[in-house]
């Protein structure tokens, strides 16, 4: 099995864990690209409906759009709370 075949096999294995209604973050890289291609082949054939898929890159989002994969922008991050001020130490 060559490298490309291993990437496709890994993507197929990951796809077996995907279920309808799932929020599935689409990553970046060649193996993630294979998963996106498999998802987009025919999502209704595998009964994968209403997937919500934020994407980590425009490249991955561009791969997903023709396959009618539900691309959603990532949720805005809530900024962390500022640290509380500490009382001065008594030496």
């Amino acid at each position: 099995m060559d490298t490309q075949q291993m990437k496709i096999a890994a993507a197929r294995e990951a796809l077996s864990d995907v279920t309808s209604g799932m929020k599935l973050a689409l990553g970046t890289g060649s193996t993630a690209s294979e998963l996106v291609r498999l998802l987009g082949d025919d999502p209704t054939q595998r009964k994968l409906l209403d997937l919500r898929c934020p994407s980590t890159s425009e490249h991955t989002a561009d791969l997903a759009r023709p396959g009618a994969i539900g691309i959603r922008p990532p949720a805005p991050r809530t900024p962390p709370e500022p640290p509380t001020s500490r009382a001065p130490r008594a030496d």
Side-chain angles (χ1 to χ4, degrees):
M1 187 180 289
D2 70 14
T3 303
Q4 188 61 28
Q5 291 170 324
M6 289 191 307
K7 290 176 183 188
I8 293 169
R12 280 195 181 117
E13 181 65 27
L15 184 61
S16 69
D17 291 331
V18 178
T19 59
S20 289
M22 181 180 267
K23 182 176 182 180
L24 177 68
L26 301 177
T28 304
S30 56
T31 306
S33 294
E34 293 303 332
L35 176 62
V36 171
R37 286 185 185 97
L38 290 171
L39 278 169
D41 281 348
D42 186 1
T44 57
Q45 178 182 354
R46 287 185 296 280
K47 309 287 189 259
L48 297 177
L49 306 174
D50 192 33
L51 291 178
R52 297 174 306 280
C53 301
S55 175
T56 59
S57 74
E58 280 302 311
H59 174 74
T60 303
D62 290 344
L63 283 175
R65 282 187 190 99
I69 299 170
I71 298 297
R72 303 276 162 75
R77 291 186 178 202
T78 305
E81 291 287 325
T84 57
S85 61
R86 294 183 181 174
R89 286 194 305 170
D91 291 323

